[in-house]
Amino acid sequence: MKKETNTQFFQVDIPEGIISFLEKKSGVFKNNKTPSYGVNQIVRCLRKSYYEKTKKKRKSSKSLDNLWPTVRGDLLHQMTTAYNWNELDMDFQIPLGDGSVGTVSGRLDMYDWKTKTIIDLKTTKFVRWQIKQGFLPKAEHILQLQCYDTMFSQYMPVENLNIVYADMTDIVTYNVEKRDLSNWIVSRIHGIENSKVSKEIPKGEISGLCKFCKYQTQCSEDGCGITEKPLSIPKPKRSEENHMGN
């Protein structure tokens, strides 16, 4: 008589190799030697970035979070191969005043060397509807593209900035004004780094995205942040954040 085995299944941490792959695909870069940031961390609410930078690291924190939904957009992002210059990485060095240097990392989706144009692709849903509602283009997307220009224009010619919003039926492109955000980037990094030293939490930068933020309860309790009653369970993010860039 065949002996039955009592097999148990349980969840374990996601393998490091998979996490590393998804982070790179999502534009997340790690630098353990110096303070490092992704462009998305300085163009959004500084308080949220502060929370992420100061939260205690747990072994279980290596969850997919927004990495998997981001990489799922690969189907649309295959269009980046229309340009030979695509997924270009950059580390932007920031002097922090105490002799140390911070790093801001970014990745360009596409660069058209013929027209000297940086092109950033955002995959989303209901492009036309969002435009009619005034949701697109998003302010943080504009800042993100201007940050890329500031970082990359030191090493290659940049004359135009384009944001491309794409869903399964529509593609809409916006031209973005060029701005040198060097001082602004430095001030944003200093804002977080100084708060980490002084333990004074930055003021919340309130927007419609607060209702989707997982830190909204903590933000409300800390004051000078979210003004509405925080949701016990944040609303799920719409897929307009499903973007393979930083």
Side-chain angles (χ1 to χ4, degrees):
M1 184 175 178
K2 188 176 180 179
K3 184 178 179 181
E4 294 183 357
T5 58
N6 183 18
T7 304
Q8 293 183 339
F9 298 90
F10 52 93
Q11 290 187 333
V12 297
D13 287 340
I14 299 168
E16 291 284 347
I18 293 178
I19 291 293
S20 177
F21 169 80
L22 293 177
E23 287 177 337
K24 289 178 180 178
K25 282 293 184 181
S26 302
V28 176
F29 304 89
K30 292 183 177 179
N31 186 330
N32 295 324
K33 296 181 179 180
T34 61
S36 57
Y37 295 84
V39 170
N40 66 316
Q41 291 177 307
I42 61 176
V43 301
R44 68 185 182 193
C45 174
L46 281 191
R47 174 171 284 194
K48 181 175 182 178
S49 297
Y50 171 83
Y51 286 148
E52 288 185 350
K53 285 291 183 180
T54 56
K55 70 180 180 181
K56 293 182 178 180
K57 303 295 183 182
R58 298 177 302 168
K59 200 169 185 179
S60 60
S61 68
K62 295 179 180 178
S63 63
L64 291 181
D65 286 332
N66 293 324
L67 297 181
W68 177 238
T70 299
V71 176
R72 280 192 324 211
D74 278 352
L75 178 61
L76 286 174
H77 275 272
Q78 289 178 6
M79 72 176 70
T80 60
T81 58
Y83 295 91
N84 291 328
W85 293 35
N86 59 73
E87 296 194 8
L88 304 175
D89 295 340
M90 171 66 66
D91 285 345
F92 190 64
Q93 303 299 316
I94 303 293
L96 298 178
D98 58 357
S100 63
V101 177
T103 302
V104 179
S105 299
R107 170 179 289 171
L108 294 188
D109 284 336
M110 294 169 279
Y111 174 75
D112 184 350
W113 63 269
K114 294 180 180 179
T115 61
K116 302 177 179 62
T117 302
I118 289 176
I119 305 169
D120 198 36
L121 176 62
K122 304 291 186 183
T123 57
T124 184
K125 285 184 178 181
F126 314 120
V127 166
R128 296 292 178 183
W129 178 84
Q130 290 194 66
I131 292 173
K132 289 181 180 179
Q133 298 298 316
F135 298 152
L136 299 179
K138 293 182 178 294
E140 58 266 33
H141 294 166
I142 293 172
L143 284 170
Q144 182 178 3
L145 197 50
Q146 291 171 334
C147 283
Y148 289 157
D149 176 33
T150 301
M151 296 163 63
F152 282 82
S153 61
Q154 298 186 24
Y155 301 95
M156 62 191 194
V158 179
E159 294 183 2
N160 304 289
L161 307 175
N162 288 167
I163 298 179
V164 176
Y165 289 102
D167 59 20
M168 289 300 183
T169 58
D170 288 299
I171 298 178
V172 179
T173 303
Y174 288 95
N175 187 62
V176 173
E177 179 184 3
K178 286 171 57 66
R179 290 174 58 200
D180 183 356
L181 295 184
S182 300
N183 293 334
W184 184 82
I185 293 173
V186 171
S187 69
R188 300 291 280 182
I189 300 300
H190 281 180
I192 299 176
E193 291 299 313
N194 291 340
S195 293
K196 288 164 61 177
V197 174
S198 66
K199 308 300 182 182
E200 295 182 6
I201 301 173
K203 291 183 178 180
E205 297 171 326
I206 303 170
S207 72
L209 296 175
C210 292
K211 63 175 66 72
F212 305 105
C213 181
K214 64 181 179 181
Y215 296 107
Q216 56 185 273
T217 298
Q218 181 178 355
C219 181
S220 177
E221 293 174 350
D222 287 335
C224 295
I226 186 172
T227 55
E228 297 180 357
K229 182 179 179 181
L231 301 175
S232 56
I233 301 178
K235 290 185 177 182
K237 276 194 175 183
R238 298 170 64 96
S239 62
E240 58 260 27
E241 299 304 320
N242 292 356
H243 169 235
M244 259 179 49
N246 220 354

